[in-house]
Structure formats: C-alpha cells, structure tokens
C-alpha cells in the first residue's frame, strides 16, 4: 500500500485555526477606520475566510483573511467585506442588493425591537383587544424570518413576520399560549408595521406548560435512582494543543468553531500501523432548515434556516458540568463576534470527552475454546445551541474501529399553534397534532446539510452507490437465492444527486482510485444515510427554490473554496436558486477529483403528545465507516479491558 504523507503541516494548522479575539478586534478597527462602522452598524457575521485548499497544500500560505457581513439597521445598507488584519486592509467590499441578494442574517437587535414597535401599533392592539387581551405587558411578540417578499410593498425591505404569545407571569412558558390567527409584518429598518393580518379568531390555549417549575409538576421526583459516577482515575486518553488539534487513540483532528456553522472539524486523520491517513479535510453542518407544513394563511410562510438566517453558532450554550456533560470533560470556549463587532467569548461552548460505547467485538469459539471480547469507546466532540423554541445538540463521535458518526439531538419546545379542532366528521386537523387541550403543534421537518469535504487517503476521490440486488434466476443462480451488490459510479454532478433507499440498503462509497488496500482494491469510506424524508414541499413553492439542497439526500460537487453554504451565502429573504442548484448547472466531473459530499438528513416531526411541554431528545444523523480503507479489522490492537471490570469466567452480581 502506498501511504501518503501526513497532509497537515504546522503552518496549515495555524492557517486554519479558529478565529481569535485579537483578530476580531483588529478587523473591527480596520472597518471602523474605513467608515464602514456607524453607530447603527451591526456585525451580522464575522469568520475566517476559508483559505483555498489548493494553495495551502502547495505551500502558498497567505495571511488570514476574515469575512464580515455588516448591516446598518437605520439605513438598511449591507456590506459583504473581506478584511486582512496582517495587511491592515480591506480586501473586498461588496454592497448587497436586497432584492437580488436578500438580507444579511438576523441580528439580535431585531428580537427586542419587534415587540417594542408592535406593542405601539393600533391595529395589533385592536386585534388583541378583540380577543380580550388588553394587558400588553403579558404579550410576547415572536419575530420569524420572513421567507420572501409577497408583494411590491414588501420588496427590498428587511422584514420579520411576527406571532403573539401570552405569558401570564414572568415565569410562565409563553409557548403554551399562542394567540393564533394574527400575523404582523414589520420592517425592522424603518420600524414600520406594514400590516396586521387578522385571519381567524382561535381561542388562546389556557393550560400552562411550566415543566421548569417544581411547583407546577404535580408528581414527586421519581424514586429509586441511584448515582451513576463516571471516573477516569488516570484522566482522559486525549490531548489537545494550542491550535485545538485533538489526538486520541490514533485519531487526529483540528477543532474549530464558526459563528454560522458551529463546530468545524478539520484534517481528520486516523493512524494505520503508525501512519496517519487522511479521511476528511473539513466537516461541518453547513445549513439546517425547519419547514412547517401548516399551509393556513397565518403561518404558511414559516420556515427557519438556522445556519443561514440565524447563524446558530452564535447561540451556543455555555455547558454545565454534571448536567450537560458527565465524565472527564475538557471544555473549549468559543469566540465569536458580537453584533457590535467586538469579541464575545462563550465559555465552555465545546465539550470534549471519551465515553464507553459498548461491545467493540466479541466471539466465543466452539472449536478452539477461546472467548474474547473488547469494549469500544468513542471520542465525543459536541456543542448545544438554543435557536428560539428549539435546542439542538451537535455530536461528532470517533470510534476505535475507524467509524465516524454524527448525531443531532433535538429537544426544547415544539412550535405551538391553536389547535383548530377536528372536522365535522371527527377527522383530526390534517396539519398539526393536538398536544394539550386546544394546543396544536404544526407538522414540520428538521433538515440538516452536512458538508463533508472528503479526503480519503488523498484529495482525489470518487463516489459509487452501493445497493443490495436480488440476482435474477438463471444458469448462475438456478435456485433464485443469489444476492449481489450493485455498484454504480457517479460520474458528474447530475448523476450524483441521489436519494437514499433503505429497501435496497443504499450507501455511498467514497474511494480513492489512486490508493489500493492489500487486496488491490481502492481504499474507501462509506456514508450510511438514515434515509428519512427529504423536503416535503411542491417543486414550485418558495421554500423548494430556497432550500433545494434539502430535496436530495446526496449531492457531490468538485471542491471550490467559495462553495460553502448549500442554500447560498445570503439566505435571509433570498429569492432562491442559490448554492447547490446553481453550482451543479455546470454538471462538473466528480470522478477521481477533489470532491465534497453534501448529505441531507433529518427528522420529519409529527409531534407526539409526549413531546409536550418539553420534548425528550429525538435523534438524527449519519455514519461514515471505513470500507476497504484498512487491510482488516483495525481494532485488533485494542487491549483487553483495563481495571478490574472484566473477569472472563467470573461471576459478578450474578442472579440464578
Ligand atoms: Co420538531
């Protein structure tokens, strides 16, 4: 086997390190001096401009550039700027056209602003008074990203569409009391209420949902749960250096954090007999979108791009030891830019630990009498965000057998509505569940796009679709029992737009035609999709155009450094067609070249009664497994369990 050199030179590692606080300050100073920062300018985004991988690997390591998205919340002016602190200069400055390009991501100011303005609006006050809601101090206004302009009056404006909820006391969970049927449209730059649309009078659900108040939960704490303590008396088995390069059990990866994507993992390699071999150049969740499926007039527009519109990395939680994470935990702080362009540290945003992962392999042999088992463990790198009503945990797992898994844990509060009641024939309302008396939860999806910049033993990779196939009866298969695997090469971007098919066990194998294993076959890693539904929306709908990425489980594109976001760079109020659907028009070659996989996965959520008032974690994700990457099971070198846990043949707390 030919072993490529370890690809990650120290200078490359430094070039890709996560943004530092001093860099953010330097960028701010340059923009301020150039007159681009006024008292009403908000920094929607600041992040490392992704260097061109081809230049990095050619040793052409330039100074670090940063991309900044600015919006002036009094004029509406928007600048997409690239800044070079080491050259003390602005590299490019592009002014956005709001009609063609859409809007910069939502800034924090908008959350408070909408309630302040709408509380003063006579039409909204009248709509509330008609429902008997006269105590304005109890009415919370929830701004929702606006989808796209629906008429000339909305065109080119920075909009939010807003719903109202009742919060009876400062401690009350407002999501329990939606004031359904009224939608307010507001221009957050001019601070004008454009329209208050009072569609339908639905009763405000009255039952509280205050799970967070011990006094509200009418049960004693569940008895009999004894402590589980996780101890690692010699400490964790990983190390992490000053550039956040993490090394564990042969795995090596650089941990970075971005305001838009959250965790970004770079240069993931795994050792094979002492040689580090690359698997991934860069991995992140590049977009996530939550489309709601209730088409009624007050909420048909509801869908949220939590990366592109809200920049979910900025909403990372500070994790608490013993609650959010247990074991021997290493935390990393995240540094992002605040809306004022100054560094904002999110303490303990990234959690790193290792955990037991059950049986790795096991066999008791009837012929030779041997009995062996090994325990698996995995390295976990995670963070958690709160985006409005929902909370999401993002977990990357690396195992001793070369497996990489990704899991999203979705929890928090489901988005609520007033349940309109069953039909005259007793049939339930077709677009929402009823969770509590009169309280609805519209059906929706949580669709994620993993951007997997693959590097299986080198930059040039290919993709095959593998699936199970029943062999037709014939001379080679006289009894009709032949099972074979169909292998289909995906040559170009149009062939490489694929749907999962669990009835055929369909997986996608990323291989390197230039590196062979000891059997002479191309080394590879396979992507195992969950195969849940992709976007459920008509192909002529606005959301289909804006989130076309989510209509296929797999896309493959050739690497381009500026192709980072599958719904385009600017998503807020963008008319659609950007990102993947635009890039693939060229139908570029994706065989034996530097490729990126875009994998859509997620949940189609028909909320259960048990999802109220707070939703137990629901999971979705994908798996990458070595597939002919190694010459045999790569975990034969894992030692027998340490400590005094494993006593082959012994009895421990046995009951007969
Ligand atoms: Co949900």
């Amino acid at each position: 086997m030919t072993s490529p050199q370890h690809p990650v030179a120290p200078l490359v590692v430094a070039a890709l390190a996560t943004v530092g606080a001093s860099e953010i300050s330097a960028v701010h100073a340059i923009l301020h001096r150039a007159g681009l920062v006024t008292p009403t300018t908000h920094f929607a985004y600041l992040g490392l401009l992704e260097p061109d991988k081809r230049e990095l690997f050619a040793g052409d390591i330039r100074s670090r550039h940063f991309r900044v998205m600015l919006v002036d919340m009094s004029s509406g002016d928007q600048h997409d700027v690239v800044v070079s602190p080491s050259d003390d200069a602005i590299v490019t400055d592009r002014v956005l056209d709001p009609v063609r390009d859409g809007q910069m991501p939502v800034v924090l100011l908008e959350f408070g602003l909408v309630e302040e303005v709408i509380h003063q609006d006579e039409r909204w006050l009248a709509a509330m008074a008609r429902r008997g809601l006269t105590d304005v101090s109890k009415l919370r206004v929830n701004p929702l990203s606006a989808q796209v302009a629906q008429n000339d009056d909305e065109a080119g404006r920075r909009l939010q569409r807003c719903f109202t909820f009742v919060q009876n006391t400062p401690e009350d969970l407002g999501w329990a009391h939606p004031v359904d049927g009224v939608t307010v449209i507001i221009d957050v730059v001019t601070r004008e209420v454009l329209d208050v649309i009072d569609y339908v009078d639905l009763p405000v659900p009255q039952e509280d949902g205050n799970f967070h108040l011990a006094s509200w939960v009418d049960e004693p704490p569940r008895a009999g749960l004894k402590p589980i303590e996780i101890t690692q008396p010699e400490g964790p088995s990983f190390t992490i250096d000053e550039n956040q390069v993490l090394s564990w059990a042969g795995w090596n990866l650089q941990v970075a954090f971005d305001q838009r994507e959250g965790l970004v993992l770079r240069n993931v390699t795994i050792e094979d007999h002492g040689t580090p071999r690359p698997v991934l150049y860069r991995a992140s969740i590049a977009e996530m979108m939550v489309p709601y499926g209730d088409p009624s007039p007050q909420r048909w527009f509801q869908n949220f791009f939590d990366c592109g519109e809200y920049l979910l990395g900025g909403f990372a939680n500070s994790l608490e030891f013993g609650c959010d994470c247990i074991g021997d935990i290493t935390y990393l702080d995240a540094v992002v830019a605040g809306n004022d362009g100054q560094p904002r540290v999110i303490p303990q945003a990234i959690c790193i630990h290792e955990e037991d992962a059950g049986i790795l392999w096991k066999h008791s042999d009837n012929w030779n009498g041997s009995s062996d088992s090994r325990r698996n463990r995995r390295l976990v790198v995670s963070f958690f965000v709160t985006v409005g009503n929902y909370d999401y945990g993002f977990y990357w797992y690396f195992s001793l057998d070369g497996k990489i898994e990704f899991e999203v844990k979705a929890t928090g509060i489901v988005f609520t509505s007033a349940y309109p009641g069953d039909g005259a024939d007793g049939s339930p309302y077709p677009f929402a569940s009823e969770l509590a008396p009169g309280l609805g939860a519209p059906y929706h999806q949580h669709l994620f796009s993993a951007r997997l910049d693959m590097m299986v033993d080198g930059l040039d990779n290919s993709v095959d679709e593998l699936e199970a196939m029943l062999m037709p009866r014939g001379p080679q298969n006289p009894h009709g029992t032949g099972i074979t695997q169909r292998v289909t090469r995906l040559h170009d971007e149009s062939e490489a737009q694929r749907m999962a098919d669990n009835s055929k066990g369909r997986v996608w194998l990323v291989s390197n035609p230039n590196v062979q294993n000891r059997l002479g076959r191309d080394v590879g890693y396979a992507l195992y999709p969950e195969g849940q539904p992709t976007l459920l929306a008509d192909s002529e709908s606005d959301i289909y155009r804006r989130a076309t990425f989510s209509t296929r489980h797999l896309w493959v594109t050739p690497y381009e450094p500026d192709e980072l976001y599958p719904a385009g760079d600017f998503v807020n109020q963008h008319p659609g067609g950007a990102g993947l659907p635009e890039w693939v028009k060229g139908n570029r070659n994706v065989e034996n070249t530097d490729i990126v996989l875009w994998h859509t996965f997620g949940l189609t959520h028909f909320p259960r009664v048990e999802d109220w008032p707070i939703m137990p974690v629901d999971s979705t994700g994908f798996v990458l497994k070595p597939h002919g990457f190694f010459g045999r099971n790569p975990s034969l070198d894992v030692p027998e369990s340490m400590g005094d846990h494993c006593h082959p043949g012994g009895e421990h707390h046995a009951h007969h």
Side-chain angles (χ1 to χ4, degrees), residues 290 292 390 392 410 413-415 442 444-446 603-607 611 615 618:
V290 186
Y292 283 79
Y390 264 106
Y392 299 99
I413 318 294
V414 295
F415 205 99
H444 59 277
Q445 299 183 280
H446 305 255
L603 301 163
T604 295
H605 192 184
F606 300 99
D611 288 336
M615 178 183 155
D618 208 349

Side-chain angles (χ1 to χ4, degrees), residues 465-470 483-488 498-508 528-531:
E465 181 167 280
L466 311 182
E467 60 189 10
M469 195 180 102
L470 169 67
I483 299 172
T484 192
Q485 190 170 45
R486 188 188 345 236
V487 179
T488 309
R498 303 300 301 158
M499 301 297 280
D501 185 347
N502 288 345
S503 72
K504 295 190 170 80
R506 189 175 281 175
V507 304
W508 295 293
Y528 287 68
E530 284 180 349

